[in-house]
Amino acid sequence: MTSICVLRSLRTRGEAVTVHNFDCDPQAISISSELCAKLGYSRNEIDFHILDVLSDQCDMLNFDVVYLASLVGITSDEKQKAIGNIVKQMRPGALLVIRSAHSLRGQTFSSKRGLVYVPIEKYPSDDSIWVSASSDLTWYYNYETTPSSAFSNSPKLQFVPMLWGSSPTTFLADVTRQIEGGANISYVLGFNEPDGDMSTGGSNIPADTAAEIWQREIEPLKKMGVKLGAPAVTGAPTGHTWLQNFFTACNGNCSVDFIPVHWYGNFEGLASHIGQVRGTYPNTTIWITEYADSHVPLKDSQIFYNQSSQYFDRIDYITHYSYFGSFRSSVSNVGPNAAMLTEKGQLTDIGSWYLGGSATGNKPSGSPGRGVIFAGSSIIVVFATLWSLL
């Protein structure tokens, strides 16, 4: 029925499209195919195929839009596996649409998502938003060595310490103390934008100085089983140069398990930048620890969020990402439309999507208007070919 409704809708717009339906039940395929034939639909309009979405054979590269139905009869874990299989097989830029159903609400969730925690003393009540029962966030960092008291009673958020700049000189001792005290410290982050000026949040450390500090304060954690994140340079060309100079100064004595990336700009620039990082460091995974399309209209900000999050979830070597926007629009230094909270502390569409929810309709202050963009909503944009699961 969904296929027929979609096809009829596109016909009224003059769109030429074929709807492909997949199901693991041959009998369901046979009955549906026979019904569509009796209703006058040709196989060039609606076609049917047998496929088990729990397998690794879901080749979705030829489809612009994939619509996922309820997957009745399988467990929640199996549904998550099916969704993961499909996403991995989709081409970049394709759209995954999942029918709104309580049992599939977790489809917008991602274990890769974390929190860049920027505490605002004026609004302490905002902290609870990020650890609500519906939140899918699994990790956070706060630019500090020790965890934030706001999340001390939230075991679902794993803390990732960071050595922000040239101090504190007790980073190794602080992290070691937490590990010995039973804390789950699996990762640490290196210096924050060391190629950047302090006026814009950078730690402004010479590469050779950073290499010396790394070997003293960070490298020993490797023997404790902690995975080490490289210094998080800016997305400017100076960042690429700084990081190369850092590794040169390390002279092979700095172990890096993943490369953090920062980006403030459009999706095309982000994808290109990630490609450059991957090409330079092909044997390491990537974390996106700060990103947003700053100071753009609301619709553009929403488009960027949806494109980037779908891209991150699809790419295997991107294992973690954290959107820079966990604050109210009235205090946002990347523009109000990038914020995940309104000036009143309500989740914006982006904020709700990031936590695994649906659009809220709450507009951040200063926005020129609200664009309706898909991310857990019911709006579907169909381009040329659509793939559907019965």
Side-chain angles (χ1 to χ4, degrees):
M1 184 59 69
T2 299
S3 300
I4 294 173
C5 291
V6 170
L7 187 63
R8 285 183 174 177
S9 176
L10 293 173
R11 275 180 171 178
T12 63
R13 305 178 191 179
E15 300 278 356
V17 63
T18 301
V19 179
H20 294 265
N21 295 269
F22 294 80
D23 197 287
C24 63
D25 185 350
Q27 184 177 10
I29 288 290
S30 177
I31 294 173
S32 299
S33 178
E34 183 179 349
L35 174 61
C36 286
K38 289 182 178 179
L39 293 174
Y41 295 101
S42 70
R43 295 191 65 177
N44 289 329
E45 296 172 305
I46 302 179
D47 204 0
F48 296 86
H49 315 271
I50 299 174
L51 176 69
D52 183 359
V53 296
L54 296 180
S55 71
D56 295 323
Q57 307 302 316
C58 302
D59 186 358
M60 301 289 109
L61 292 177
N62 294 324
F63 301 101
D64 296 305
V65 181
V66 175
Y67 174 87
L68 185 62
S70 296
L71 298 179
V72 175
I74 62 177
T75 67
S76 178
D77 288 343
E78 289 173 330
K79 290 177 183 180
Q80 293 298 323
K81 179 181 177 181
I83 294 168
N85 287 341
I86 292 168
V87 169
K88 289 178 182 179
Q89 298 298 329
M90 291 171 61
R91 65 171 179 78
L95 181 66
L96 174 63
V97 181
I98 302 180
R99 190 168 73 193
S100 178
H102 184 272
S103 61
L104 276 177
R105 188 178 181 280
Q107 61 84 17
T108 60
F109 283 27
S110 171
S111 61
K112 296 182 179 184
R113 290 181 196 157
L115 179 70
V116 188
Y117 179 58
V118 184
I120 305 296
E121 292 184 4
K122 187 177 179 181
Y123 308 115
S125 61
D126 292 352
D127 295 339
S128 62
I129 294 173
W130 314 116
V131 290
S132 64
S134 59
S135 171
D136 68 335
L137 304 183
T138 59
W139 64 278
Y140 81 101
Y141 76 100
N142 58 5
Y143 303 101
E144 300 288 345
T145 302
T146 55
S148 302
S149 58
F151 305 132
S152 59
N153 295 320
S154 179
K156 65 184 294 186
L157 276 184
Q158 182 181 12
F159 175 60
V160 180
M162 169 184 273
L163 178 54
W164 182 87
S166 56
S167 61
T169 57
T170 58
F171 182 78
L172 175 60
D174 291 342
V175 175
T176 300
R177 188 179 304 112
Q178 293 176 62
I179 294 173
E180 292 176 345
N184 179 19
I185 305 295
S186 302
Y187 311 94
V188 295
L189 295 168
F191 312 101
N192 186 71
E193 299 190 352
D195 60 307
D197 189 83
M198 287 190 177
S199 63
T200 58
S203 54
N204 192 22
I205 310 174
D208 56 349
T209 301
E212 293 176 7
I213 297 172
W214 178 287
Q215 293 174 59
R216 184 182 70 245
E217 298 292 329
I218 297 180
E219 188 65 26
L221 294 170
K222 184 76 173 179
K223 295 180 180 179
M224 301 182 193
V226 178
K227 294 185 177 180
L228 313 180
V233 297
T234 68
T238 56
H240 181 73
T241 301
W242 189 99
L243 197 56
Q244 288 185 318
N245 291 339
F246 168 78
F247 285 118
T248 298
C250 285
N251 194 28
N253 296 314
C254 301
S255 303
V256 167
D257 295 290
F258 58 93
I259 306 291
V261 166
H262 286 188
W263 183 259
Y264 294 96
N266 63 27
F267 174 73
E268 290 76 16
L270 169 64
S272 176
H273 181 61
I274 291 173
Q276 181 186 30
V277 173
R278 180 64 173 176
T280 306
Y281 308 102
N283 298 319
T284 58
T285 55
I286 292 175
W287 289 29
I288 317 297
T289 51
E290 284 187 25
Y291 74 102
D293 195 358
S294 57
H295 304 289
V296 297
L298 180 58
K299 183 176 180 179
D300 292 343
S301 189
Q302 291 176 330
I303 290 174
F304 170 82
Y305 169 76
N306 286 310
Q307 288 180 316
S308 57
S309 61
Q310 291 176 21
Y311 177 71
F312 297 156
D313 286 332
R314 190 179 308 141
I315 304 299
D316 288 342
Y317 59 78
I318 297 177
T319 61
H320 296 68
Y321 63 91
S322 50
Y323 182 78
F324 190 77
S326 62
F327 35 73
R328 299 193 182 198
S329 58
S330 54
V331 299
S332 172
N333 64 344
V334 289
N337 296 325
M340 291 196 281
L341 300 176
T342 68
E343 70 280 8
K344 296 180 180 180
Q346 301 168 310
L347 283 170
T348 64
D349 288 352
I350 291 177
S352 182
W353 294 336
Y354 194 70
L355 297 184
S358 57
T360 63
N362 297 325
K363 294 189 296 184
S365 63
S367 64
R370 176 174 179 265
V372 181
I373 310 299
F374 173 78
S377 68
S378 58
I379 305 300
I380 305 175
V381 180
V382 180
F383 297 95
T385 307
L386 187 144
W387 180 88
S388 175
L389 287 174
L390 291 174

